[in-house]
Amino acid sequence: MSTITVNDGMDNTLRECLNKGNKLILNNNMKINIHSEFLIKDNVEIDGNGSTLIAKNCRHFNIKKGATLTLKNLILTNGKENFGGSIYSNLPTNTIILNNVEILNNEAMYGGGIFTLGSLIVENSRINNNIAQKQGGGLWCAKNLTLLNSTINNNKVERISNNNFAGGAYVDDGNVALNDSQINNNLVSFNDNNGGYCGGIMINSGSLTLNNSTINNNKSFSSAGVQMGTGDINLFGSSISDNNSYITGTNCGGGGIVIMNGNVYAERSKITNNITKGMYSGSLVSFIGNVTISDSEISGNVNRGPGGGIACNFNSDVLIKNSKIINNTGASLGGGIVNFSDKDGSISVNNSEISNNILTNYQTIGETLDAFLSVVMSSIKDNTNNSKSVQKIHPESTGATKLLSVLSNLESLANKHNLTLQKISNIHNSTGGGGIATLLRCAININNSKLNGNNITKDTTGRKSLAFGGALFSINSVSSIIKTTIMDNLSNYEAAAIYNNDKLSITSTKIVKNKSKKGKTIINTNNGVMYINNSLFVNNDDIDIYNDGILTLYQTRANVEGNVIEL
């Protein structure tokens, strides 16, 4: 590799040096105005020594064939083009490496700062304050994206359209890794009635791994923080917080994370204070896949439908261990957690706290059931349209192809699932589960945990509805509660603590100071089979257990209305 030192700030000098050598070293802190893009036809490394390249009605770099462009200690600003305001790369074999580089105040239709069909490595760098009109305010990347101690902040997708997306970054089919990095304060523009998707980062296919990183304070019409098509999300010591989406009515919404297909794992992380005006969780919406929350906190999230903290739909095992799901607000079902899965799903809570969540009647169970299929289908339609818009500009998009295949499977699953949900009756004008809720045969297992201070229902609409299960609402699940405290839960109708319509066993558990308007702490319906062993009831409603089904008490004293077998 030949090395050339560039001593003056003339465009032509830099251009001539690029033609002669593969490695350029610029003199300290030069400002160079460039009037046409630099064509990169071979592996090139440029060390800017703090210099600034100021584009004049052009982008900075265009990588024309299989090559690696490495930039160091450089500022790229004021670029403007259709694809990639500052840097454009049109081959999947190309790689861009940035080290201590600032990509600032550039503009494009796609990829405000960078548009690449290859991979991108960003270290100690900032991709900030760029604008895309349609997709990828900060960057548009077809393959792998790695951020090390870097930021993608304050970027914007400017045009208001439901076909536009990714205020911070769009990745088509690649693995995304953030280490000590940020995707914060990005925006996809919207008005009261219309707008695009995913203020933070959108990935059609691949994976997302965060280590000591943040995706915070992003805004869009829908799916404000993270939108994953198909692939896994892993968080380690990271935060997805304070993201906001503004779509209203029976639309998906999604404040923190929306994932269509894949697993979510969070360890030592926070998903907090995300808000959506839409139907599904302000925190985390999973359509197909498992959710594991370990040594983490999900708190302060708000939405106007099921699952204030977590909302899962199909084939989902939810595992909460050594974690807190607290102070979230939802409506209809599950102020903390809702899982619509059938027998192929579960909720397990171990050594954790599901507390102080609020369930409003902004939406009732009947309204949720009426809207369920249309919400899933509208999400499928939106993701399909987004994938097709990617294919228009990148016909070889593998991410779009993979996601479209997943969406076809999801549509079939949703139609089948909806037939089962529509058979549920008698609870339509109700809300259920201030802490946890299920509707189908999704098993519930709670061990050595706290379900305290959940409140169902705070009346936000002025209309009347029935509220059941301040802590837990289950009508078809086989449930087990062991060594747990259920305390200070409220219901403005019945079942201050638990509403059970299937099989429930309670062992070595304290049920204390739960209150409801109708004076019943636990309701066991005529379909319910309940076994309570060595448990304590203290200072609850006048009736600890209202039993219409089969109830067995062993070494337990409780105030019971209805038949009981005492052993």
Side-chain angles (χ1 to χ4, degrees):
M1 177 181 283
S2 58
T3 302
I4 296 176
T5 301
V6 181
N7 293 311
D8 71 52
M10 299 299 293
D11 179 351
N12 290 338
T13 303
L14 179 57
R15 206 172 296 275
E16 182 180 345
C17 291
L18 268 175
N19 290 330
K20 292 180 179 179
N22 302 102
K23 183 174 181 180
L24 305 186
I25 300 174
L26 278 60
N27 215 359
N28 290 346
N29 301 311
M30 292 193 297
K31 294 188 183 299
I32 303 174
N33 294 321
I34 64 171
H35 299 276
S36 64
E37 65 189 17
F38 294 111
L39 298 180
I40 306 299
K41 300 178 181 180
D42 202 349
N43 294 340
V44 170
E45 179 180 316
I46 301 175
D47 186 339
N49 275 315
S51 294
T52 302
L53 302 187
I54 305 165
K56 301 294 184 178
N57 295 312
C58 63
R59 68 165 76 93
H60 300 90
F61 295 100
N62 183 348
I63 308 174
K64 294 297 289 184
K65 65 178 185 178
T68 296
L69 174 64
T70 302
L71 303 177
K72 299 179 179 179
N73 309 311
L74 193 61
I75 299 171
L76 305 179
T77 188
N78 205 46
K80 189 170 185 179
E81 253 293 353
N82 194 30
F83 290 88
S86 178
I87 303 174
Y88 173 70
S89 171
N90 70 344
L91 287 175
T93 54
N94 292 345
T95 300
I96 300 168
I97 300 173
L98 307 179
N99 192 337
N100 194 29
V101 172
E102 296 187 48
I103 311 288
L104 305 175
N105 300 310
N106 301 284
E107 184 174 344
M109 195 67 68
Y110 304 92
I114 300 169
F115 184 101
T116 176
L117 298 184
S119 296
L120 175 60
I121 300 170
V122 183
E123 185 172 0
N124 300 314
S125 296
R126 289 146 295 284
I127 302 174
N128 296 350
N129 300 105
N130 302 284
I131 295 174
Q133 294 301 317
K134 291 188 175 182
Q135 299 172 16
L139 64 90
W140 198 111
C141 179
K143 297 299 179 184
N144 298 331
L145 170 63
T146 302
L147 267 65
L148 305 167
N149 191 34
S150 296
T151 66
I152 302 175
N153 291 350
N154 300 302
N155 301 284
K156 180 169 69 170
V157 170
E158 191 162 67
R159 290 189 185 176
I160 296 174
S161 169
N162 59 9
N163 292 318
N164 296 341
F165 47 81
Y170 170 78
V171 175
D172 184 61
D173 188 9
N175 299 315
V176 179
L178 274 66
N179 295 281
D180 301 296
S181 295
Q182 301 174 2
I183 301 178
N184 294 349
N185 301 305
N186 300 286
L187 170 68
V188 176
S189 299
F190 57 88
N191 57 30
D192 290 342
N193 302 308
N194 191 24
Y197 297 82
C198 195
I201 181 167
M202 179 174 173
I203 304 167
N204 250 3
S205 175
S207 66
L208 174 64
T209 301
L210 272 63
N211 287 286
N212 193 33
S213 296
T214 64
I215 300 177
N216 294 348
N217 293 298
N218 300 286
K219 293 184 170 110
S220 61
F221 200 54
S222 189
S223 304
V226 176
Q227 183 164 321
M228 170 67 77
T230 180
D232 295 339
I233 297 173
N234 297 287
L235 313 179
F236 301 94
S238 294
S239 167
I240 298 179
S241 299
D242 299 298
N243 300 286
N244 285 262
S245 74
Y246 294 85
I247 196 168
T248 59
T250 54
N251 295 286
C252 179
I257 299 170
V258 175
I259 178 168
M260 303 303 292
N261 179 68
N263 302 319
V264 177
Y265 179 84
E267 181 179 305
R268 297 174 288 104
S269 295
K270 292 186 176 183
I271 307 174
T272 59
N273 301 316
N274 302 285
I275 298 174
T276 180
K277 294 184 178 180
M279 176 172 158
Y280 262 153
S281 178
S283 169
L284 195 166
V285 182
S286 168
F287 284 88
I288 301 175
N290 302 324
V291 174
T292 301
I293 309 297
S294 177
D295 298 291
S296 295
E297 180 178 320
I298 296 178
S299 67
N301 304 285
V302 179
N303 63 289
R304 295 178 174 180
I310 299 172
C312 291
N313 288 276
F314 311 109
N315 306 341
S316 296
D317 291 321
V318 178
L319 172 60
I320 312 297
K321 55 183 180 180
N322 306 314
S323 295
K324 294 181 178 181
I325 314 294
I326 58 175
N327 300 311
N328 302 286
T329 299
S332 174
L333 289 159
I337 303 170
V338 66
N339 193 343
F340 288 100
S341 298
D342 205 341
K343 61 183 179 180
D344 47 13
S346 65
I347 298 174
S348 298
V349 181
N350 299 312
N351 302 304
S352 295
E353 187 173 353
I354 315 292
S355 296
N356 300 312
N357 300 287
I358 294 173
L359 191 72
T360 77
N361 63 347
Y362 191 91
Q363 189 177 78
T364 65
I365 294 173
E367 289 167 333
T368 296
L369 294 176
D370 289 342
F372 180 83
L373 186 61
S374 67
V375 170
V376 176
M377 291 304 178
S378 68
S379 296
I380 291 172
K381 179 181 176 182
D382 293 339
N383 277 269
T384 298
N385 290 339
N386 290 341
S387 293
K388 289 181 177 179
S389 70
V390 168
Q391 289 176 324
K392 286 181 180 179
I393 64 169
H394 179 33
E396 294 80 24
S397 166
T398 53
T401 301
K402 290 176 182 178
L403 180 54
L404 288 171
S405 176
V406 166
L407 295 175
S408 177
N409 176 53
L410 177 56
E411 183 174 354
S412 174
L413 192 60
N415 279 306
K416 181 179 178 181
H417 209 74
N418 187 59
L419 293 176
T420 305
L421 287 172
Q422 295 309 315
K423 295 176 183 177
I424 296 172
S425 59
N426 302 323
I427 56 170
H428 279 216
N429 190 38
S430 305
T431 54
I436 298 172
T438 63
L439 286 180
L440 300 179
R441 293 172 291 176
C442 171
I444 301 171
N445 297 288
I446 302 169
N447 184 45
N448 196 31
S449 295
K450 297 177 181 179
L451 275 69
N452 296 344
N454 300 289
N455 183 1
I456 171 177
T457 300
K458 182 181 179 183
D459 187 357
T460 58
T461 63
R463 58 181 177 173
K464 301 299 179 182
S465 59
L466 308 180
F468 299 99
L472 175 65
F473 178 86
S474 164
I475 62 171
N476 286 296
S477 297
V478 175
S479 306
S480 171
I481 302 174
I482 301 172
K483 294 181 180 179
T484 291
T485 300
I486 303 174
M487 183 169 67
D488 290 324
N489 298 285
L490 300 173
S491 168
N492 76 348
Y493 189 66
E494 290 186 323
I498 298 170
Y499 182 91
N500 176 61
N501 188 58
D502 204 291
K503 296 181 178 67
L504 170 63
S505 66
I506 301 175
T507 303
S508 303
T509 290
K510 295 178 181 179
I511 302 170
V512 180
K513 296 193 292 185
N514 301 282
K515 301 294 180 181
S516 70
K517 184 176 181 180
K518 293 290 185 178
K520 299 170 185 176
T521 299
I522 296 177
I523 290 181
N524 189 42
T525 71
N526 59 349
N527 294 318
V529 177
M530 186 180 295
Y531 176 81
I532 303 179
N533 174 28
N534 191 33
S535 294
L536 179 68
F537 287 80
V538 177
N539 295 330
N540 295 293
D541 288 319
D542 293 337
I543 302 169
D544 289 318
I545 306 170
Y546 179 86
N547 179 48
D548 236 356
I550 298 172
L551 172 64
T552 302
L553 300 182
Y554 180 76
Q555 294 184 345
T556 300
R557 297 185 65 180
N559 221 357
V560 178
E561 182 173 316
N563 297 325
V564 60
I565 301 169
E566 296 189 79
L567 302 175

